[in-house]
Amino acid sequence: MAENCLSCNEVITGKYCSNCGQKAKLDRINGHYIKHEIEHVLHLEKGIFYTVKELILRPGKTVRSFISENRTRLVKPIIFVIVTSLIYSLLSHAFHVETSYISFQNTDGGSAVNYLDKWVNDHYGYSNLMMSIFIGLWIRLFFRNYDYNLYEILILLCFVMGVCMLVFSIATVLQGLTHVSFYITGSVIFLIYATWAIGDFFDGSKKKNYFKALGAYLLGMLSFSFLVAFLGLFIDFLIKNFAA
C-alpha cells in the first residue's frame, strides 16, 4: 500500500520519496544516528585529517585542485574554518588561555569598542569569515593578473585560516600544559603558513608572490580591525551625543 511522504505529501512507491528524497520510514534517533550526523557535518567520511595533511604539505596545489578539479575529497571550506575555529575557542576556554590574536579594546570598560572586541574573540568562526572578505579584497588587488575571482580566493582563505586556527589550538594546549606563553610562536607560524599557502596558490616559483601574500594578509587583518574599531567608536559617539 502506497503512503504519502510526511515531508511533501507526495505518494511514495519505494524506499524514498521521488519528489524530495526523504525516506519512506525515518530511522530512530539513537547513538548511531547522532554519530552519523556528526560525521556528515565534519565530512569525516572524506577525511578531515586528510584535508589537514594536504593543506599542510601542498596548500597551493590542494586548493587549486578543489576549485577546478575535485571537490569531494576535502572537508567543505566554510565548515572547515568554522569547526577549526570552534576547536580553538573550546580549547582556549578549557585551558583558560584567553589570548586574542585580534584586539582593539578601549580603556572605557563600557565602550561599544570593547563589546565588539569581545564578540569578535568569542566568535572566531564568524569573525574569520568576515575577516576573509577584507583579506580577499587585498589579495584580489595584489594578484589581479591571475584569473581567480573573489569567491575562489575566499575558498582559499577558509582553508588557510582553518589551518591557522589549528596552529593556535596547538599553541593553546602547550600553553595550558606548560604555563609558558606560546602566543608569539603561534603567531609567527600562523603568518609564515598563511604567506606560504597564499603565495603557493598563485605561483610558488615567484618569490614576490610571497611578499604580496604577506602584505595582503596583514592589510586585510588591519582593515578588518580598524573597521570594527571605527564602528564601535561611531556607536559610542551616537550614544553619547544623541541618547536621551
Side-chain angles (χ1 to χ4, degrees):
M1 179 179 177
E3 298 180 355
N4 286 15
C5 175
L6 297 176
S7 177
C8 66
N9 207 37
E10 185 80 5
V11 175
I12 299 177
T13 56
K15 293 183 178 180
Y16 296 89
C17 174
S18 60
N19 183 49
C20 69
Q22 178 167 287
K23 283 186 175 182
K25 184 177 180 180
L26 296 179
D27 297 330
R28 289 288 303 273
I29 296 180
N30 51 26
H32 176 75
Y33 171 85
I34 297 298
K35 179 176 179 291
H36 175 76
E37 288 299 303
I38 293 174
E39 289 178 344
H40 180 72
V41 170
L42 297 181
H43 213 174
L44 287 176
E45 68 272 18
K46 298 299 182 183
I48 191 169
F49 297 109
Y50 172 83
T51 299
V52 174
K53 183 194 75 172
E54 291 298 301
L55 289 174
I56 290 175
L57 296 178
R58 49 187 74 86
K61 179 181 178 181
T62 298
V63 180
R64 287 196 305 270
S65 175
F66 179 86
I67 291 174
S68 60
E69 298 173 9
N70 190 333
R71 299 179 186 174
T72 63
R73 301 180 69 183
L74 302 180
V75 177
K76 301 306 180 186
I78 294 179
I79 292 177
F80 182 67
V81 71
I82 289 178
V83 168
T84 52
S85 299
L86 177 61
I87 291 172
Y88 170 69
S89 296
L90 291 175
L91 288 173
S92 64
H93 284 91
F95 287 97
H96 305 289
V97 177
E98 300 298 334
T99 302
S100 304
Y101 76 98
I102 300 173
S103 184
F104 35 82
Q105 288 192 9
N106 194 313
T107 54
D108 180 4
S111 170
V113 176
N114 287 354
Y115 285 113
L116 290 175
D117 176 83
K118 186 177 186 306
W119 188 91
V120 166
N121 288 292
D122 284 345
H123 301 83
Y124 280 115
Y126 299 116
S127 301
N128 282 331
L129 290 174
M130 290 187 289
M131 192 192 310
S132 294
I133 297 174
F134 291 83
I135 299 172
L137 290 171
W138 283 105
I139 291 176
R140 185 73 180 88
L141 175 64
F142 286 2
F143 293 92
R144 56 187 176 276
N145 294 329
Y146 291 84
D147 189 26
Y148 290 104
N149 60 41
L150 179 61
Y151 299 100
E152 291 167 332
I153 292 172
L154 291 178
I155 294 299
L156 164 67
L157 289 173
C158 283
F159 283 125
V160 170
M161 298 188 84
V163 173
C164 291
M165 285 293 97
L166 293 178
V167 170
F168 274 116
S169 296
I170 295 172
T172 297
V173 172
L174 292 175
Q175 182 169 331
L177 294 175
T178 65
H179 303 291
V180 176
S181 177
F182 284 86
Y183 173 71
I184 295 178
T185 302
S187 298
V188 171
I189 296 174
F190 163 63
L191 284 177
I192 290 174
Y193 174 78
T195 300
W196 172 54
I198 296 170
D200 186 54
F201 173 79
F202 288 98
D203 189 347
S205 65
K206 296 181 179 180
K207 293 182 180 180
K208 66 178 181 179
N209 282 352
Y210 296 107
F211 290 101
K212 292 196 293 185
L214 176 61
Y217 206 98
L218 291 175
L219 286 170
M221 290 181 66
L222 288 173
S223 300
F224 174 73
S225 299
F226 283 142
L227 181 64
V228 175
F230 174 80
L231 179 61
L233 291 172
F234 182 67
I235 293 173
D236 286 336
F237 172 80
L238 293 179
I239 292 174
K240 181 179 179 180
N241 290 277
F242 297 101

